[in-house]
Amino acid sequence: MERLTAVLAGTPVDTNMGLELLRRAGLPAAGFPVAEDPRAQTAFQLLPPADKQAQTELVLRLAMKGGCARALVYCNSMSAAVDFPALSRQLGLPIVTPMDVYREAAGAYRRAAVIAANAQGLAGIERALLEKNPKLDLYGACLLPAVLSVEAGEPPEELVERHHLAELAAWFQSCGAQTLILGCTHFPYFKAALAARTSLPLLDPDEELVRLVKEL
C-alpha cells in the first residue's frame, strides 16, 4: 500500500492544490493548512523562529499520528520561513519542499526571474538558488495581491491582465532573464494564461515535487 503523504501549505486553497497534484500522480495524501488565508500565513511567517518551529512541529506530529510517513510542503514562503531540514531530522520524517527543486535547477541559468507571494518566499528562493549557483543574476517581485486573486477564484486570464503579469514578464525578459520561476504554489493556477502572453519559459516546480516525493 502506498504511504500517506502529509501536504502542509499556507491556506486551505493551496493545501487543496497540493492534494490534487499528488492525487493526479496516484499518491494518497492528507492536507494540513497552517493558516486560514494568505495574510494570516504571512503573519505566521513573521513570528519568532522558535514559535514557527514549534507550531509547525505540532502540525507534523498530528500528521504522523494520522498515519503520514512523509510530507510535502506545498508553500514556497513557508518553506523559506521554517527550518524544515531540522524538523525532518528531529521527527525522523522525510520532507520535500519547493526549495529542493530550485536548488536542482539553479545551475541551468545565468539570469533568472522569480515571482513570489511575499518577501519571505523571495528571500528563501534566492538563498536556495545562490547556494548552488553564486554567479546567478536574479530579478524578483512579490505578488501577494495576485495570491489573493487566486484565493478569490478570479479567472486566470483576468488575473494576468489586472496584475500586469505579461508586462512584468516582458520586463524580466528585457533584462536577460532566461526563465521566470513561479515561486508560489498558488501560481500554477494562472500558468497557462501567462504562458499564452509571454515567450519567457516558466519554471513550475510541480512535476519535480512529485518526482521527489516518489523518491523519498
Side-chain angles (χ1 to χ4, degrees):
M1 183 176 178
E2 185 69 50
R3 293 184 300 169
L4 191 64
T5 302
V7 175
L8 270 69
T11 74
V13 171
D14 56 351
T15 300
N16 287 331
M17 294 171 74
L19 289 171
E20 181 59 27
L21 174 70
L22 294 187
R23 286 169 182 161
R24 288 197 303 269
L27 298 172
F32 298 88
V34 175
E36 61 184 13
D37 59 47
R39 296 189 189 280
Q41 174 58 200
T42 296
F44 164 78
Q45 292 165 15
L46 295 175
L47 291 173
D51 292 349
K52 288 183 291 191
Q53 290 294 111
Q55 290 187 32
T56 307
E57 179 187 343
L58 288 176
V59 175
L60 289 170
R61 288 191 181 277
L62 177 64
M64 295 171 70
K65 186 176 181 180
C68 294
R70 58 191 178 189
L72 167 64
V73 182
Y74 199 69
C75 179
N76 284 262
S77 52
M78 186 164 65
S79 299
V82 175
D83 187 349
F84 282 102
L87 287 172
S88 178
R89 293 189 297 270
Q90 177 184 343
L91 300 174
L93 181 72
I95 301 174
V96 166
T97 83
M99 301 303 154
D100 299 319
V101 177
Y102 302 138
R103 291 187 189 97
E104 288 190 357
Y109 305 105
R110 298 186 311 277
R111 290 185 178 181
V114 181
I115 52 174
N118 57 31
Q120 312 300 312
L122 192 61
I125 296 169
E126 178 186 57
R127 185 164 53 249
L129 290 169
L130 294 183
E131 282 175 355
K132 291 297 182 180
N133 184 2
K135 295 182 178 181
L136 179 67
D137 290 333
L138 198 61
Y139 301 86
C142 303
L143 301 175
L144 185 61
V147 176
L148 297 174
S149 292
V150 174
E151 292 262 329
E154 184 175 342
E157 293 78 10
E158 294 180 14
L159 187 160
V160 168
E161 180 69 25
R162 189 163 71 84
H163 294 289
H164 302 284
L165 300 187
E167 291 88 343
L168 180 60
W171 182 78
F172 286 142
Q173 196 165 18
S174 73
C175 294
Q178 298 164 290
T179 187
L180 173 55
I181 297 171
L182 302 183
C184 173
T185 45
H186 283 77
F187 292 170
Y189 175 83
F190 58 73
K191 178 183 175 182
L194 179 56
R197 300 278 304 275
T198 180
S199 59
L200 183 60
L202 305 180
L203 195 163
D204 173 7
D206 276 5
E207 289 186 12
E208 290 302 299
L209 285 174
V210 170
R211 177 182 64 81
L212 291 173
V213 170
K214 287 182 176 180
E215 289 179 354
L216 285 177

